[in-house]
Amino acid sequence: MGVRLQVLGVVLLGLLVSGGAGLLMHRVERDGAGQALDRRTAAAQDAVASATQRYVDALQLAAGGLEALSALDAAAFSTATQPLGQLWLPGATGVDYVVAVPDAGVAAAQASWRDRGASDLTLAAAPGNPVHYFAVLSRGLDAKNALPAGRDLVGVPQVGAAIDRAERTGLPAASEPYVALRDAGSSAEPQPQTVALVQRVVERRTGALRGYLQLTVRVQDFFGDTLRQPVRDLLDVGLAAYAGSELRTIATIRSRGERGTDLHRTVEVQVADRQWQLRVTAGSGALAGAGGHLDDGMFFGGAALTLVTALLVFTLATSRRRAEERVEEATAELRVAGATAKSQAALLSGVMDTIADGVAVIDGAGRAAWLNPTARAILGPDASQAPTWEWPELLDMREADGVTRYKSRNGVAGTESLVECMMAGRRIEIRLRTLLQDGEAPGAVAVMRDITDRHAAEEQLRSSEELLQLLLDGARDYAIYMLDPAGRIVSWSVNAERLNGYSSDETIGEDFARMFTPEDRERGLPARLLEQARELGRAEIDGPQVRKDGTRFWVHGLLSAVHEQDGSVRGFVNVSQDVTARKQADQVIERLNADLERRVAERTADLREANAELESFSYSVSHDLRAPLRAVDGFARILARDHGAELGEEGWRYVGRIRAGAQQMGELIDGLLAFSRLQRQELASHRVPVADLVAEVWEQLAVERGDRAVELVVGELPDALGDPRLVRQVLANLLGNAIKYSRDAPAPRVEIGHKVTTGGEATYFVRDNGAGFDMRYAEKLFKVFQRLHRAEEFEGNGIGLALAHRIVHRHGGQIWADAAPGEGATFYFTLPVTAPAVPALEAVP
């Protein structure tokens, strides 16, 4: 009975211990799963918070662009919101510019915004409301879900409430979730939810309210793209927001497969001025730390050990009474134990043969009684056979410095010592433990480890750290320091101390936000820079910072993220430069530019006044001067017709001179008008086929050539870029002059060609073998009414070359001449032939 009670006690105790150990291990695994879920939940929370902040930042950026504009119309809205279409904003369906309109002013507002470029705008007012919020300008960010402009947002009370909050606070506001008009007919359950982000737009100079900028987001699309990576099919995640007093689920992500739902987490996420709730559910078996069966194994292993122990107790308890009967059995068990001991010895030998450390058993005489293969490889064949006191000589053993001869050390019996030395050119770590037997030291066990590669790696690391510190201290114009993932300073260079005024003892472990101004810290700029660098790899710093003594200076720098091999952020590197002097210089330049713009505006006003006067003068010339000339010419013609017989030869000559003078005056007036109109004529920019124009002009000059045989030589003429009508007029003037001034040549010859093309311009020339001119008077060629020949020799009014000069200059080219009296003249002019070379051709007011 006593033996049975002992066995039963052992069994109960063993099962109790095994069960407790299994429960404890199960709790550890479950705690590990909970910690894994906490990390995943935090990652999802950070992903949602940073993504929504990116939407808010994009909205504020577009609103700031609208506030910077002096006039707001459809083109300005398109320019200011264009960057939103280039950003990655999943779920964003459109951005609208919203204005408040009283019920009585709907028609006037519609007409006003149509005049501003929204030509198809129709304002559909919701009945029964004194004030309407119309989306007058819209940009679709999702062609499938975009809505047209003109809708009245008063019909969506959630958006109206967000508009009211945005106006009161001046900060971005998020609406309560609602079902958008495009989703009202959706058969999906639940129906897709939409949220509007609203930012007010004010007049930057006066602060007056101009309107509101609304960004609509389809929450399910936004949520699915944002948490695709953090969730990775392991979690069930839901996003909830308050709709009135009700907490409504607005987006969900379901994991694939059956994983259980025994773990839950709920966290808050700040979205603009509202709090959303993130709900995470997962099965503990799907998370790292709870997927094993160590608890079951520990329980059943303990139970098996308990049974073995109980059997052993039973055997030992009954062996005394049956000693005589079990002598043979005991002998057999002894044989089995011997075989087991041999098996364990063989196992130990196998282990010693495969481990990377060398193991040597040294007897009391100082000889190696046993060496494993690694120890033989370290010692070599000679030292393996020699006593230990000969090892220093055989292996050329040195101390750790690699120079001093190794000195043998006598260890204290029963203690362990660690020695590092150089052995046959390799760095060896020796762990020596003496053995005790009857109070004497019969020998020792030495464990030898080759640490040559490890020591080299440590030295290389130390050298790299020294080099890095040297580089940090040597970059005199830059403050370089490192941050941990939380933004605390972990390294501080000499130049950082010189730039910021803090010593390393004052900054190590401190938040780098202390370098920023109180205003930037209050609006969360340091945290946003860290988040941007974490997401994008880098963030630019450009703004004021504060030194230790309180002085402010302007900093331009870069905050770069440093990643581990698994992609996680290891920390950040901040490289900053004091650009206060450059910033002050930029401010001076800005003031100078503002002054220059003011002067340009004044000169432009003067130019407009002068052009108005020129326009008035042109009108006078065209109408007031032509009438007297027509009268003079008409009366002279009547005099010749009615009284010709009474005039005589001298009278006819006088009448002819009167009519010729009137006609010449008319031609001068026509030239002046053409010259004046050229100042105000807007230039076109097209491809000009110069060779075709030359053929047309030459054909039209047939009357001027008369019956003279004028030879025309046409060389290579590349196409130009410009206004074909004006280029044609240049060719007509130059070719007409060439025909006119070569009429006295025995064999008149006109040549037109192309000289050279450089820098996007072609140089054309027109050459004749006519009268030529003296180059001393060349500066008069292109001035109005300036002629180098008398009217009796060659007719003309002195306007043609002035017109050609003005046309060429307005095309961005040049015109000049080369001639000699009696040897002909060559006129050169340049025109652009490629698009980049064509300057902006603007009409003169």
Side-chain angles (χ1 to χ4, degrees):
M1 181 64 68
V3 172
R4 294 179 180 177
L5 289 176
Q6 292 178 3
V7 173
L8 181 59
V10 169
V11 171
L12 291 177
L13 180 60
L15 292 177
L16 182 61
V17 172
S18 299
L23 289 175
L24 179 61
M25 186 54 63
H26 179 73
R27 180 59 182 271
V28 170
E29 289 183 341
R30 186 174 177 83
D31 290 344
Q35 294 173 1
L37 181 59
D38 289 340
R39 292 191 296 271
R40 298 293 292 279
T41 301
Q45 181 185 23
D46 291 343
V48 174
S50 61
T52 55
Q53 185 60 44
R54 188 173 69 252
Y55 286 62
V56 171
D57 291 344
L59 180 66
Q60 289 181 311
L61 176 64
L66 293 176
E67 290 179 350
L69 297 172
S70 58
L72 205 159
D73 52 19
F77 172 83
S78 177
T79 301
T81 58
Q82 182 180 7
L84 297 183
Q86 301 171 352
L87 298 176
W88 184 68
L89 300 173
T93 60
V95 59
D96 307 295
Y97 182 68
V98 180
V99 296
V101 180
D103 190 60
V106 173
Q110 177 175 290
S112 173
W113 283 101
R114 284 184 175 180
D115 292 340
R116 299 188 199 182
S119 58
D120 297 330
L121 177 65
T122 300
L123 300 183
N129 295 287
V131 178
H132 305 274
Y133 291 109
F134 288 113
V136 296
L137 299 173
S138 296
R139 172 184 285 274
L141 302 179
D142 181 357
K144 181 173 63 178
N145 296 311
L147 290 176
R151 59 193 187 280
D152 190 356
L153 301 183
V154 169
V156 185
Q158 297 88 340
V159 177
I163 291 175
D164 290 340
R165 294 199 311 277
E167 180 178 356
R168 290 196 310 270
T169 64
L171 299 175
S175 73
E176 293 180 356
Y178 64 94
V179 178
L181 180 62
R182 58 179 170 273
D183 297 324
S186 173
S187 60
E189 288 295 331
Q191 288 182 316
Q193 298 290 310
T194 296
V195 169
L197 299 176
V198 181
Q199 172 67 48
R200 74 177 186 182
V201 179
V202 300
E203 173 66 37
R204 179 162 295 182
R205 184 172 56 86
T206 63
L209 179 67
R210 303 176 80 176
Y212 312 90
L213 197 62
Q214 171 190 247
L215 178 66
T216 54
V217 182
R218 235 167 162 253
V219 184
Q220 182 62 48
D221 297 341
F222 154 79
F223 193 59
D225 285 353
T226 301
L227 289 187
R228 184 182 296 113
Q229 179 62 24
V231 172
R232 293 201 295 272
D233 296 333
L234 294 179
L235 310 176
D236 290 341
V237 186
L239 189 62
Y242 281 99
S245 60
E246 175 191 359
L247 188 62
R248 179 188 302 170
T249 299
I250 58 176
T252 58
I253 298 178
R254 301 293 184 187
S255 62
R256 295 193 292 268
E258 297 294 329
R259 302 177 181 270
T261 58
D262 57 326
L263 295 177
H264 307 273
R265 295 291 186 272
T266 300
V267 294
E268 299 292 332
V269 179
Q270 183 71 34
V271 179
D273 62 339
R274 302 188 65 84
Q275 289 280 347
W276 288 2
Q277 193 176 90
L278 187 67
R279 301 170 178 173
V280 183
T281 304
S284 58
L287 297 172
H293 301 284
L294 188 58
D295 50 350
D296 296 336
M298 182 171 291
F299 174 77
F300 289 111
L305 182 60
T306 299
L307 293 177
V308 172
T309 304
L311 181 61
L312 181 60
V313 170
F314 178 80
T315 302
L316 293 176
T318 57
S319 63
R320 293 180 181 178
R321 295 183 300 170
R322 297 182 300 171
E324 293 81 3
E325 296 89 326
R326 299 294 303 273
V327 171
E328 292 182 1
E329 294 181 7
T331 303
E333 290 178 1
L334 183 60
R335 292 192 186 99
V336 172
T340 301
K342 290 180 180 178
S343 175
Q344 292 177 347
L347 178 61
L348 177 61
S349 177
V351 171
M352 289 297 177
D353 289 346
T354 56
I355 62 175
D357 293 341
V359 180
V361 178
I362 303 170
D363 59 19
R367 295 183 178 274
W370 181 84
L371 299 170
N372 73 340
T374 305
R376 292 192 185 95
I378 293 175
L379 296 173
D382 295 335
S384 298
Q385 304 297 326
T388 56
W389 61 81
E390 295 182 4
W391 287 1
E393 186 67 28
L394 292 174
L395 299 174
D396 190 23
M397 292 178 63
R398 306 280 175 173
E399 294 289 344
D401 59 8
V403 178
T404 308
R405 298 289 298 183
Y406 179 78
K407 297 179 180 179
S408 299
R409 298 164 176 81
N410 294 323
V412 179
T415 62
E416 185 175 307
S417 60
L418 182 64
V419 176
E420 183 177 323
C421 64
M422 299 297 296
M423 185 182 295
R426 305 289 294 178
R427 185 171 294 273
I428 307 297
E429 182 183 80
I430 302 175
R431 189 178 299 275
L432 183 67
R433 184 175 183 85
T434 58
L435 302 176
L436 286 177
Q437 182 175 349
D438 297 332
E440 299 293 336
V445 174
V447 179
M448 295 172 283
R449 177 173 296 176
D450 190 338
I451 61 171
T452 304
D453 295 337
R454 187 186 75 185
H455 183 268
E458 292 173 352
E459 286 295 315
Q460 184 177 5
L461 177 60
R462 183 183 60 81
S463 299
S464 299
E465 292 176 347
E466 292 178 353
L467 178 60
L468 175 60
Q469 190 62 41
L470 181 62
L471 290 175
L472 294 179
D473 294 341
R476 179 170 179 80
D477 293 335
Y478 295 89
I480 305 175
Y481 53 92
M482 299 188 67
L483 312 175
D484 65 10
R488 291 184 294 270
I489 299 172
V490 296
S491 73
W492 192 251
S493 66
V494 173
N495 290 316
E497 179 177 349
R498 181 182 58 81
L499 182 64
N500 297 87
Y502 293 98
S503 65
S504 59
D505 294 337
E506 295 173 311
T507 56
I508 299 298
E510 296 291 333
D511 196 323
F512 92 118
R514 71 183 302 182
M515 307 301 167
F516 290 81
T517 62
E519 297 84 0
D520 286 344
R521 291 199 299 269
E522 183 177 352
R523 62 190 182 95
L525 177 60
R528 291 203 304 272
L529 290 173
L530 289 175
E531 188 63 29
Q532 181 181 354
R534 183 178 285 107
E535 290 184 358
L536 305 179
R538 59 192 300 175
E540 185 177 0
I541 301 173
D542 190 13
Q545 290 191 2
V546 183
R547 291 190 176 94
K548 179 182 178 181
D549 59 7
T551 59
R552 297 194 176 194
F553 63 105
W554 200 274
V555 167
H556 181 78
L558 196 65
L559 184 66
S560 302
V562 180
H563 295 87
E564 299 283 5
Q565 292 184 353
D566 61 358
S568 61
V569 176
R570 179 182 179 184
F572 304 90
V573 176
N574 186 304
V575 181
S576 302
Q577 185 181 16
D578 183 357
V579 294
T580 304
R582 188 177 70 191
K583 190 66 176 180
Q584 293 172 347
D586 291 342
Q587 293 173 351
V588 172
I589 293 174
E590 290 177 1
R591 290 196 298 270
L592 293 176
N593 287 338
D595 183 63
L596 179 60
E597 290 177 0
R598 179 184 58 78
R599 295 184 180 181
V600 169
E602 294 174 354
R603 298 295 171 82
T604 302
D606 295 341
L607 181 60
R608 287 175 179 168
E609 182 179 355
N611 284 336
E613 294 176 356
L614 180 60
E615 183 73 23
S616 176
F617 172 74
S618 299
Y619 181 85
S620 298
V621 170
S622 177
H623 296 81
D624 299 341
L625 295 183
R626 283 183 182 274
L629 287 177
R630 284 195 296 269
V632 170
D633 184 62
F635 281 117
R637 186 171 61 254
I638 293 173
L639 180 64
R641 183 189 64 195
D642 297 343
H643 304 282
E646 303 173 6
L647 292 177
E649 181 179 353
E650 186 176 0
W652 275 101
R653 186 169 66 253
Y654 290 156
V655 171
R657 293 182 65 180
I658 290 173
R659 295 198 63 191
Q663 291 173 1
Q664 184 178 8
M665 187 64 182
E667 292 176 359
L668 288 175
I669 291 173
D670 290 338
L672 281 174
L673 290 176
F675 191 79
S676 174
R677 283 194 297 270
L678 180 61
Q679 290 290 91
R680 303 183 303 277
Q681 183 175 357
E682 183 177 357
L683 297 184
S685 180
H686 303 291
R687 188 181 67 84
V688 180
V690 179
D692 295 344
L693 289 182
V694 168
E696 294 176 7
V697 169
W698 188 258
E699 182 67 23
Q700 292 176 357
L701 292 175
V703 175
E704 282 76 1
R705 296 197 303 271
D707 55 357
R708 290 184 298 138
V710 181
E711 179 186 3
L712 176 65
V713 179
V714 180
E716 179 186 1
L717 296 173
D719 292 349
L721 286 177
D723 192 320
R725 295 174 294 109
L726 299 181
V727 174
R728 178 192 185 97
Q729 188 169 354
V730 172
L731 294 173
N733 286 337
L734 296 180
L735 290 173
N737 283 350
I739 293 173
K740 177 170 63 176
Y741 289 105
S742 62
R743 64 189 177 193
D744 295 334
R749 183 176 186 271
V750 177
E751 180 183 359
I752 183 169
H754 159 249
K755 184 177 181 183
V756 66
T757 300
T758 58
E761 288 187 338
T763 301
Y764 302 91
F765 66 88
V766 176
R767 181 180 293 120
D768 64 71
N769 60 348
F773 57 86
D774 192 339
M775 286 296 293
R776 290 181 298 172
Y777 309 108
E779 70 276 2
K780 298 181 179 181
L781 277 175
F782 304 107
K783 295 181 180 180
V784 180
F785 304 140
Q786 297 294 323
R787 306 192 68 229
L788 302 185
H789 298 85
R790 290 177 299 146
E792 293 79 2
E793 295 177 330
F794 299 100
E795 68 280 1
N797 54 26
I799 301 259
L801 288 180
L803 280 172
H805 178 269
R806 180 56 55 89
I807 292 172
V808 170
H809 270 253
R810 290 203 62 192
H811 282 78
Q814 298 179 359
I815 185 170
W816 68 96
D818 185 19
E823 298 180 6
T826 303
F827 283 83
Y828 300 92
F829 63 97
T830 64
L831 291 175
V833 295
T834 57
V838 178
L841 301 178
E842 301 179 356
V844 177

